Amino acid sequence: MSMATTRTTRKKVYKIVFLNEGKVYEIYAKNISHGELFGFVEVAGLLFGEKSTLVIDPSEEGLQHEFAGVERTYIPLHSVVRIDEVAKRGVSKIYPAPTSNGKVTQLPTPMYTPPKAET
């Protein structure tokens, strides 16, 4: 089996890391795209641990409740830290954003600034 065949038959899983309200979110999804909303990354098919698992990670359970009933979510492009295509789903989690003194919150930055009109 060639590498190209293996790559096309394997189901894609994406790990999306983004900032939200001073915390870092790490989630897994089946689909991502630039979406129809300018400046947003569209994330669909969120993946969480199986409900039959006996050991449940509290942070993943919190994310599961936060995204309950969500078919797709739109994340502001300036909040995305990174997106990776991974071999398999990991544990979704929320953790504090690293700061130098614990009192710094990143403010959203504009992703497009129109050129100044000459008068």
Side-chain angles (χ1 to χ4, degrees):
M1 185 182 285
S2 71
M3 181 74 139
T5 306
T6 304
R7 185 170 174 84
T8 56
T9 58
R10 176 174 66 114
K11 292 182 181 180
K12 293 183 179 180
V13 175
Y14 298 95
K15 177 172 99 172
I16 303 98
V17 180
F18 63 97
L19 295 169
N20 184 35
E21 298 178 354
K23 296 177 184 167
V24 177
Y25 281 55
E26 189 174 299
I27 60 173
Y28 292 84
K30 295 177 189 174
N31 302 302
I32 59 166
S33 71
H34 57 77
E36 297 177 8
L37 296 173
F38 181 71
F40 288 83
V41 174
E42 180 180 327
V43 178
L46 296 173
L47 300 169
F48 295 104
E50 298 176 19
K51 295 185 184 220
S52 62
T53 312
L54 293 175
V55 179
I56 299 174
D57 186 346
S59 63
E60 185 172 48
E61 188 176 21
L63 273 168
Q64 204 167 2
H65 288 295
E66 183 172 340
F67 288 101
V70 174
E71 290 182 29
R72 66 186 71 245
T73 187
Y74 296 88
I75 301 169
L77 189 58
H78 63 267
S79 296
V80 175
V81 175
R82 88 188 270 160
I83 298 172
D84 297 322
E85 183 178 336
V86 295
K88 62 181 186 173
R89 184 192 72 81
V91 177
S92 298
K93 55 189 153 199
I94 303 173
Y95 49 91
T99 59
S100 56
N101 63 4
K103 297 182 182 186
V104 178
T105 301
Q106 180 179 353
L107 296 174
T109 55
M111 61 170 275
Y112 172 74
T113 305
K116 293 182 180 178
E118 295 184 28
T119 55

